[in-house]
């Protein structure tokens, strides 16, 4: 079956621009997670959703970052006024529920801010 | 958050067993021990998890110390495809609120020599 799908796989943008990254979780998975990963570092937690609501957004670095999951399936991570320091791989994962179980990760969206 | 300590890197020979250690001296009674691995240019992949008893699956074995302050991931016969960064993560069994996410460290980079 299909795994977690992330688009685009690569995005190059200019400083100050707005960017949207999309995540299609595994069908039926209620929990969805966003992480970002800089070179040589482990994934850094950003936010996770249970259904449509953000259960924990404490990892979002500032108010330029926002994520939505309006219908409890697809999620979009939105970054306003991008900065060069936002360059990273943004990873999405889904899980059948918050009640334990493994997370299934996508291959990530690589964002480069020039 | 409970923290884990892992060596930065390890080397192994192909077809030999590999023992990847993890220290988690501040583990709480409700923390599960999770292992994920990340192959180059891919998202993390679930390997195994456990609470108190040793666990086996098709990928690996997890040996948990009696006091639960350390654990070891065992790959019984390393292959070149096992070369990856291995992350040991504590995940609270009370999955609501801010406890449902996984907090990654830097992990152990495993190199496998032919």
């Amino acid at each position: 079956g299909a795994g977690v799908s992330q688009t685009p796989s690569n995005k190059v943008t200019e400083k100050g621009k707005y960017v949207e990254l999309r995540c299609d979780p595994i069908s039926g998975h209620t929990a969805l997670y966003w992480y970002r990963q800089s070179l040589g570092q482990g994934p850094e937690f950003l936010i996770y959703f249970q259904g449509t609501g953000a259960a924990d957004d404490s990892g979002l670095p500032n108010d330029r970052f926002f994520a939505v999951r309006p219908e409890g399936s697809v999620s979009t991570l939105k970054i306003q006024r991008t900065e060069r320091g936002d360059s990273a791989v943004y990873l999405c994962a889904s899980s059948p529920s918050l009640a334990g179980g493994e997370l299934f990760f996508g291959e990530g969206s690589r964002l480069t801010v020039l | 958050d409970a923290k884990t300590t892992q060596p930065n890197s390890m080397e192994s020979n192909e077809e030999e067993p590999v023992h990847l250690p993890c220290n988690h001296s501040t583990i709480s009674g409700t923390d599960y021990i999770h292992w994920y691995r990340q192959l180059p240019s891919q998202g993390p992949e679930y390997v195994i998890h456990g609470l108190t008893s040793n666990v086996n699956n098709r990928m690996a074995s997890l040996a948990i110390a009696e006091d639960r302050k350390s654990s070891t991931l065992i790959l019984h016969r390393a292959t070149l495809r096992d070369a990856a960064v291995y992350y040991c993560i504590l995940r609270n069994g009370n999955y609501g609120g801010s406890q449902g996410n996984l907090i990654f460290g830097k992990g152990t980079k495993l190199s496998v020599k032919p």
Side-chain angles (χ1 to χ4, degrees), chain A residues 11-53:
Chain A
K11 175 71 176 179
V12 180
T13 191
E14 294 180 343
K15 181 174 178 292
K17 298 291 187 183
Y18 170 81
V19 165
E20 288 191 354
L21 305 175
R22 176 187 168 107
C23 174
D24 277 276
I26 293 172
S27 178
H29 281 193
T30 59
L32 184 146
Y33 306 74
W34 283 100
Y35 289 81
R36 74 174 174 181
Q37 187 171 26
S38 301
L39 194 63
Q41 304 295 314
E44 174 193 12
F45 168 74
L46 296 177
I47 184 172
Y48 80 91
F49 292 86
Q50 173 64 9
T52 60

Side-chain angles (χ1 to χ4, degrees), chain A residues 6 37 41-43 89-92 104-110, chain B residues 36-46 59 81 83-85 87 104:
Chain A
Q6 292 189 246
Q37 187 171 26
Q41 304 295 314
V89 175
Y90 288 81
L91 294 162
C92 177
F104 295 83
F105 282 83
E107 295 200 349
S109 293
R110 180 177 297 279
Chain B
Y36 281 73
R37 73 178 186 180
Q38 188 172 23
L39 279 64
S41 300
Q42 294 189 24
E45 171 190 32
Y46 168 83
M59 290 182 69
R81 290 190 69 253
V85 178
Y87 297 98
F104 288 79

Side-chain angles (χ1 to χ4, degrees), chain A residues 5 23 29-30 34 40 51 62 71 76 80-81 90 97 102:
Chain A
S5 176
C23 174
H29 281 193
T30 59
W34 283 100
N62 51 59
E71 297 178 358
T76 305
Q80 297 178 320
R81 305 182 303 280
Y90 288 81
S97 72
E102 62 184 279

Side-chain angles (χ1 to χ4, degrees), chain B residues 6-83:
Chain B
Q6 300 177 254
N8 291 333
S9 62
M10 290 184 65
E11 278 191 353
S12 172
N13 294 317
E14 195 176 12
E15 298 190 4
E16 290 186 356
V18 182
H19 290 232
L20 296 163
C22 181
N23 288 320
H24 28 78
S25 58
T26 60
I27 191 170
S28 76
T30 54
D31 285 333
Y32 285 76
I33 302 158
H34 287 246
W35 284 82
Y36 281 73
R37 73 178 186 180
Q38 188 172 23
L39 279 64
S41 300
Q42 294 189 24
E45 171 190 32
Y46 168 83
V47 178
I48 200 166
H49 77 282
L51 182 63
T52 56
S53 303
N54 294 345
V55 184
N56 300 295
N57 67 19
R58 64 174 178 82
M59 290 182 69
S61 296
L62 177 61
I64 301 172
E66 194 168 335
D67 64 3
R68 300 210 324 124
K69 294 187 176 185
S70 65
S71 61
T72 303
L73 180 71
I74 302 165
L75 307 179
H76 294 286
R77 287 184 64 196
T79 69
L80 297 178
R81 290 190 69 253
D82 290 323

